[in-house]
Amino acid sequence: MDPLSIAMLAILGVLIFFMFRNSRKRKAQQEELREQMVPGVEVMTNFGLFGTLITMDTAKNEAEIEISNGVIVKVHSQTLAKVVTEEAVEDGAPRSVEEAMEIANREAAEREAATDASTDSETPEFGELSDSKDDKSSK
């Protein structure tokens, strides 16, 4: 056999190895998700519906989700995407969009104040453009 054929067979073997490995990983993740899906947990569906899992029928592949008090929706069990858990919030991280906008506006105002203070000098700094004709004649 020539070296090119051996190299191609080796690459094919590596691809098949990774294909089986990824398949096993995906199955393990699905099994872990199924173990977490017990009645009473908050879940999210593939289409973004949040609710509390009421029942899960594996024989019919159906799940009942309570999305509001007394409102129960029946969905296919494969649409359950994940179990919703509370994520730990970092210190200083904004908790809402409004808070993030407040922080961004305050930082922008601080930057403007700093640039206004630095542009009070008459001579332009490196990289700045000058509008006065006197600066051009002095060069």
Side-chain angles (χ1 to χ4, degrees), residues 15-28:
L15 289 175
I16 291 172
F17 169 75
F18 280 115
M19 185 176 64
F20 282 117
R21 184 173 146 236
N22 288 340
S23 173
R24 274 192 239 129
K25 269 187 181 180
R26 197 172 307 115
K27 284 181 183 178

Side-chain angles (χ1 to χ4, degrees), residues 110-122:
E110 290 172 0
R111 278 193 300 270
E112 282 183 25
T115 57
D116 288 344
S118 66
T119 57
D120 289 341
S121 63
E122 302 258 341

Side-chain angles (χ1 to χ4, degrees), residues 63-75:
E64 291 183 351
I65 302 172
E66 184 176 23
I67 56 174
S68 178
N69 289 337
V71 180
I72 297 176
V73 179
K74 187 183 290 188
V75 296

Side-chain angles (χ1 to χ4, degrees), residues 9-60:
L9 287 174
I11 290 173
L12 181 65
V14 169
L15 289 175
I16 291 172
F17 169 75
F18 280 115
M19 185 176 64
F20 282 117
R21 184 173 146 236
N22 288 340
S23 173
R24 274 192 239 129
K25 269 187 181 180
R26 197 172 307 115
K27 284 181 183 178
Q29 287 174 346
Q30 288 175 347
E31 185 61 33
E32 181 181 333
L33 178 66
R34 293 291 172 216
E35 288 174 3
Q36 292 176 353
M37 295 281 180
V38 294
V41 298
E42 188 167 344
V43 295
M44 181 183 86
T45 62
N46 288 336
F47 47 92
L49 185 68
F50 289 88
T52 305
L53 184 64
I54 302 296
T55 62
M56 185 142 167
D57 187 4
T58 55
K60 293 182 181 178

